[in-house]
Amino acid sequence: MGCCLSAADAGGELHTVSGTHQFTIRAYSQTKGIGSGKSILSRYFTVDGRTWYVRFYPDGYHPNSVFVAFYLQTLYKPHCRAVRAGFTFQLLKPDGTVAYSRRSDRPCSFDRRCNSWGFRVFVTREALEGPELGVLHEDSIKVRCTVDVVNSCWKNRGGGGDDRWASVAGGAMAPQSDFAANAMRFLKSGRAPFDVKFSVGGRVFEAHGLVVAAQSEWFATALYGHGGEERWAEAGLPCVAISGTSPEAFEGVLHYIYHDELPEELIKAHGEAAMTRQLFEAADMFLIERMKQMCAGRLRRFIKDDTVRGIMDLAQAHSCKELEQACRTFLGRRRP
């Protein structure tokens, strides 16, 4: 991801931070049929200290739409300061050149009322899949999203000759908070003592209770909810025993919690199909919805004649409508 900074006018200034995120929609044919209004998420990326991601709607935003849709979304709704940002979505050819591009006509306000903006009518599926654009290659599509965060402010030359940013409203404008990033960096450094242990299949894992609870309602309830903290403290146990998942899958869950991404090395080491299935089940067990959806997206790649029934059973068992629909779509196309 690239990032740049720009400013203009010495009095009332525009402070713009731009970032670009490029990703690939793989197994595109298997994304069709998940249903209108259902989206596939990109990985998270950061622009101006804020976390963003892209939503792709292969079956359209509205029912019976012939258009695919792309939306840009912030991870959390801004509670203190609205963020104004323009954005561009580009479809790339296999050689990286731009085949199709659409840009927002103005900076949009990402605030408490709305943290998602995009194009409900981006491009028709027929054009997306057709040879004229030439963006569908080996069942994959490359997409580039550019975000331009715009902050209106002026420089206030105060005592001591220092330049200080002030908000348009007249109050001091502090830089974007980096508390979350610094907190995670510190926790992963190993200097913060672990305060909880988990025993899974004979292996013991150490973690920070607040970190795992913040990412998972299952952990929040087990450690702190409904008197959980008191029971845990009274029992005086060295660790919390967990059943129903494998040590490898639990290791993957902790990796996701601390890194906000799937454990690629673990997946490669244990086989992508088998390990992704285990991670999908674990994500459902520990109520980590985004991780579950990421695993479901990967499982779509393995939908074949000899696997579709098993994957559909898995989707139904764990209430994943998108994955179940992908399997039904595959079965529908297979019929003569």
Side-chain angles (χ1 to χ4, degrees):
M1 185 190 82
C3 192
C4 65
L5 208 65
S6 66
D9 297 326
E13 299 197 2
L14 286 180
H15 173 224
T16 304
V17 178
S18 298
T20 300
H21 180 60
Q22 185 169 311
F23 59 97
T24 302
I25 301 170
R26 305 187 188 279
Y28 164 75
S29 62
Q30 295 180 25
T31 68
K32 297 190 297 182
I34 67 173
S36 59
K38 302 292 185 180
S39 62
I40 297 169
L41 310 185
S42 75
R43 289 188 176 184
Y44 291 172
F45 60 100
T46 304
V47 180
D48 194 29
R50 185 174 298 278
T51 303
W52 309 80
Y53 58 96
V54 174
R55 287 184 175 273
F56 170 58
Y57 296 80
D59 287 338
Y61 193 88
H62 291 302
N64 304 316
S65 176
V66 298
F67 293 88
V68 300
F70 279 98
Y71 269 69
L72 173 69
Q73 186 164 337
T74 55
L75 181 57
Y76 301 110
K77 292 183 178 181
H79 292 289
C80 299
R81 178 175 66 88
V83 178
R84 295 174 61 244
F87 50 90
T88 304
F89 289 111
Q90 296 174 318
L91 301 179
L92 308 180
K93 294 184 179 181
D95 62 3
T97 58
V98 177
Y100 185 80
S101 178
R102 289 198 63 182
R103 178 174 174 76
S104 59
D105 58 2
R106 67 187 187 284
C108 300
S109 182
F110 293 80
D111 53 27
R112 284 178 294 178
R113 290 172 295 180
C114 181
N115 67 332
S116 179
W117 291 86
F119 301 101
R120 297 182 183 182
V121 178
F122 184 74
V123 69
T124 65
R125 276 186 293 278
E126 183 179 3
L128 181 68
E129 300 168 8
E132 185 173 348
L133 283 183
V135 297
L136 183 59
H137 179 69
E138 295 182 350
D139 206 23
S140 297
I141 300 172
K142 293 182 180 179
V143 182
R144 179 185 297 150
C145 175
T146 301
V147 182
D148 303 305
V149 180
V150 181
N151 298 305
S152 298
C153 47
W154 68 64
K155 281 187 176 180
N156 175 25
R157 285 170 169 76
D162 293 332
D163 288 341
R164 297 175 297 173
W165 289 104
S167 69
V168 176
M173 180 177 179
Q176 179 71 34
S177 172
D178 55 4
F179 172 80
N182 288 341
M184 292 309 298
R185 188 182 303 112
F186 175 71
L187 288 171
K188 290 188 290 186
S189 71
R191 290 183 289 168
F194 296 115
D195 57 8
V196 62
K197 295 181 179 180
F198 300 99
S199 175
V200 185
R203 288 179 58 185
V204 175
F205 299 87
E206 296 180 320
H208 304 90
L210 286 176
V211 175
V212 297
Q215 287 276 49
S216 161
E217 185 60 33
W218 190 97
F219 286 113
T221 301
L223 297 179
Y224 302 106
H226 307 302
E229 184 179 26
E230 294 180 2
R231 290 196 304 271
W232 178 35
E234 290 172 0
L237 297 175
C239 61
V240 178
I242 294 178
S243 59
T245 189
S246 69
E248 293 77 18
F250 191 78
E251 180 182 350
V253 167
L254 290 182
H255 180 98
Y256 175 85
I257 286 175
Y258 278 91
H259 296 84
D260 203 29
E261 62 183 17
L262 294 179
E264 298 296 340
E265 292 186 5
L266 186 71
I267 291 172
K268 291 179 181 178
H270 295 277
E272 185 174 8
M275 195 68 242
T276 301
R277 179 184 178 118
Q278 287 192 49
L279 292 173
F280 173 82
E281 294 173 326
D284 185 57
M285 172 180 173
F286 294 109
L287 305 177
I288 308 177
E289 185 61 26
R290 181 174 179 270
M291 179 183 176
K292 178 181 173 180
Q293 292 298 325
M294 291 172 69
C295 292
R298 286 201 173 205
L299 287 172
R300 291 191 187 100
R301 305 179 194 173
F302 301 100
I303 297 177
K304 300 176 182 177
D305 289 343
D306 58 341
T307 62
V308 61
R309 294 292 182 184
I311 293 177
M312 187 160 70
D313 290 343
L314 178 71
Q316 292 172 338
H318 295 277
S319 302
C320 186
K321 297 297 184 183
E322 293 85 354
L323 184 57
E324 179 184 351
Q325 185 58 51
C327 292
R328 293 188 184 281
T329 300
F330 179 88
L331 289 171
R333 290 175 184 156
R334 195 175 61 172
R335 293 171 184 168

